[in-house]
Amino acid sequence: MDRLTFLKDVIATQQFLQVFVGGCTMMLIGWMVTRARGDREHLPPPAPASLADVPPPFLQGPREAVDLMRESRDLARR
């Protein structure tokens, strides 16, 4: 019974509890990182960029915007 009382007192100071939770967290993060590195090798290749991924021509005049739209339309035709 004295052992349980001692254990309760040690956990009540939260030092043991903080070390235990910190250790479990570090192990979990390490496992997740190694798992993510392994999964990265099995991912499909990224999709090619489309015209929707190109940002609109901000802070440009109307002539430059029209020229960029014509160029993108010509590239899409090819």
Side-chain angles (χ1 to χ4, degrees), residues 6-55:
F6 173 73
L7 185 60
K8 180 185 72 80
D9 293 338
V10 170
I11 291 176
T13 60
Q14 294 185 356
Q15 294 172 356
F16 174 76
L17 187 61
Q18 288 176 355
V19 170
F20 177 74
V21 170
C24 290
T25 304
M26 285 177 44
M27 290 175 53
L28 180 65
I29 289 172
W31 176 78
M32 289 170 58
V33 167
T34 56
R35 175 81 185 209
R37 286 184 184 160
D39 290 344
R40 182 174 47 190
E41 297 172 358
H42 301 291
L43 292 175
S50 66
L51 288 178
D53 295 333
V54 177

Side-chain angles (χ1 to χ4, degrees), residues 60-70:
Q60 295 181 358
R63 181 70 184 155
E64 289 83 6
V66 171
D67 289 340
L68 286 174
M69 295 308 248
R70 284 184 183 150

